Structures are given as structure tokens and as C-alpha cells.
Amino acid sequence: MAGPTTARSGGANASSGPPAAEPSRARWFRRLRLPLPGPRRRGPIIILILVVLLGGFAIWALYGSKWLRVEGVKASGTAVLTPREVVDAADVPMNAPLASVDTDAVARRLRERLPRIKTVDVVRSWPHRIGLKVTERTPELIMRSDRKFIEVDVEGVRFATVATAPKGVPQLEMTAQDAPSLHRFGNDRLRRAAVTAAADLPEDVRKQVRIVRVRSYDSITLELAGNRTVVWGSGERGPEKAKVLTALLKAARDARHFDVSVPSAPAVSGS
């Protein structure tokens, strides 16, 4: 009888001994009050680690590696300028990470250094090139300056000085030095009014214009081929005046003087 009792007592003592040591991984999670990562939690953690690793690799590839660096710059869209002039003025840093190139700064630098450029689109052409898509200003009028000519675009911007007058571009003569409107409007606005008058003409009439003369804001005159003169008046109602002048030139081919300053009441003389 004593033997079995002793055996049972010994078994009870064995089961109620000190607990086994807790694994260090479990203790760490318990100290941080985090749940143990069971099988269902391991998947998102692994995905997060992969995302972080891929993001770090992408940043290194863009900025730290030698794979995606500037090896060339190409300009397109030039007419008067040469692609070499545009590339040199852009001053894009070679061998720099393509992603780090400040495209806005490149565009701004081009417009400042080459006023002939009206717009430029700076694009990254992966993996190694910068593209410069240029739109140049074109002269609507020219102004004589000593023995050279200043080109003026459709916005009235004086953007270039050239030794030879571009073919087919009318000359602008500003004779408003003593006119009250010069002090009121300023040279820039008077110049824009003259440019607007020329731009409002249809192509076949514009080709006949030799001189656009500005005496005041309300006194713009066009001199056409064949010693013909057009009193344009102010720069207002330009499209309407251009339409009336086109009709008069066709109806009175022998006339020498045309007045469209009031387009609803035009006048023709000198036929």
C-alpha cells in the first residue's frame, strides 16, 4: 500500500516543480507588450520588409548608382539657333544622376541666356539623356539700330539683334518722341500696338507691308508696296480693320491711299 502512494506523491511533486525557462524571443515581445508573431502575422511583416528593401534599392539606383546618370543632351526644334548653342547654354551637369537634374532651372537658364527662345520643354529621356524641345520667337517687325536690326516678336518683345534684316519682315518706325501718348502709354505699349496691327493682317496683305509707322497711340500708318499708304488709326478693332482693308485692296486696285481708322466708314483716294 505504501508503494503506490509514494509513487503518486512523487509524481505530483515532479509536476509542480519550477517552470521551464521562457524563450528569450517570447520575453522580448512580452516586455514590449507586443503579440507574438504567429504564422498569420509573419506574411505582412515580410512584405513590409521587402517593400522597404525595394524602396531603398530604387533610391540607390536613381541617385547612388552609375546606371541612371546623364551621358548626353539633345536639342530639337531650333530654326535660327543651332542645337549646339542650345545645349551649351543649358549647361546640364554631365554624369549627374538623371533624377536630380532641376529641369525648371535648366529651362530658366536657357530663356535668360538665349532670348530668342520663347518656350522650352526639358524632359528626362531615360536612362541617360536630357531632351530640350525648343520653340523660337519669330520676328513680326524689325527696328533699325545703326547698321543692325532688332527683331520684335508678336508680343512686342525685342529678342535679338541681327546684321541682316530677315526677308519679308516689315520695319517698325517709332516717331512718337514728342507725342503726348508716348508719356501716357510708353514705348513698350506703342510697340505692342504696332505689332498687333501687323499681326491682325491676313498673310497675303502682310506680305505687302514695308513699314509700320507709329506717331502716337491713335496714329498708326502702314506703308505697302507700290507706294500705297494705309491710315490704320489706333490698334483697336484690328481684325475688323484688316477685313475692310483686304476688301478695299481688291476693289480699288489703283488706289494709293486707304483709311480704315473707322472701319465702318472707310475711305479710298489717289486712284
Side-chain angles (χ1 to χ4, degrees), residues 121-177:
D121 188 16
V122 183
V123 296
R124 295 181 180 88
S125 182
W126 301 94
H128 301 300
R129 189 180 297 275
I130 290 290
L132 308 172
K133 299 180 181 179
V134 169
T135 300
E136 294 183 9
R137 298 181 186 274
T138 56
E140 192 71 32
L141 298 174
I142 56 172
M143 301 175 64
R144 184 181 290 275
S145 176
D146 296 329
R147 296 183 179 180
K148 295 185 178 181
F149 301 90
I150 301 173
E151 295 179 316
V152 182
D153 75 351
V154 70
E155 297 173 350
V157 176
R158 297 179 294 179
F159 62 90
T161 300
V162 295
T164 304
K167 188 176 181 181
V169 179
Q171 182 173 324
L172 171 60
E173 292 186 359
M174 302 283 290
T175 60
Q177 286 81 359

Side-chain angles (χ1 to χ4, degrees), residues 14-69:
S15 61
S16 61
E22 187 178 29
S24 59
R25 182 164 169 264
R27 289 200 307 273
W28 185 80
F29 273 88
R30 292 187 186 282
R31 286 175 183 173
L32 296 179
R33 297 183 179 179
L34 296 176
L36 289 173
R40 293 183 180 180
R41 298 180 182 272
R42 290 172 186 166
I45 293 176
I46 292 174
I47 293 175
L48 178 60
I49 292 172
L50 289 176
V51 169
V52 172
L53 290 175
L54 288 174
F57 175 78
I59 293 174
W60 173 81
L62 287 172
Y63 296 96
S65 74
K66 296 182 179 180
W67 301 338
L68 304 173
R69 293 183 173 265

Side-chain angles (χ1 to χ4, degrees), residues 79-100:
V80 178
L81 297 170
T82 65
R84 184 74 263 170
E85 287 177 304
V86 175
V87 171
D88 289 345
D91 196 19
V92 176
M94 301 302 293
N95 202 39
L98 195 63
S100 70

Side-chain angles (χ1 to χ4, degrees), residues 192-208:
R192 285 195 297 270
V195 170
T196 300
D200 285 336
L201 296 171
E203 184 64 27
D204 56 339
V205 177
R206 190 185 301 120
K207 290 179 179 178
Q208 303 177 50

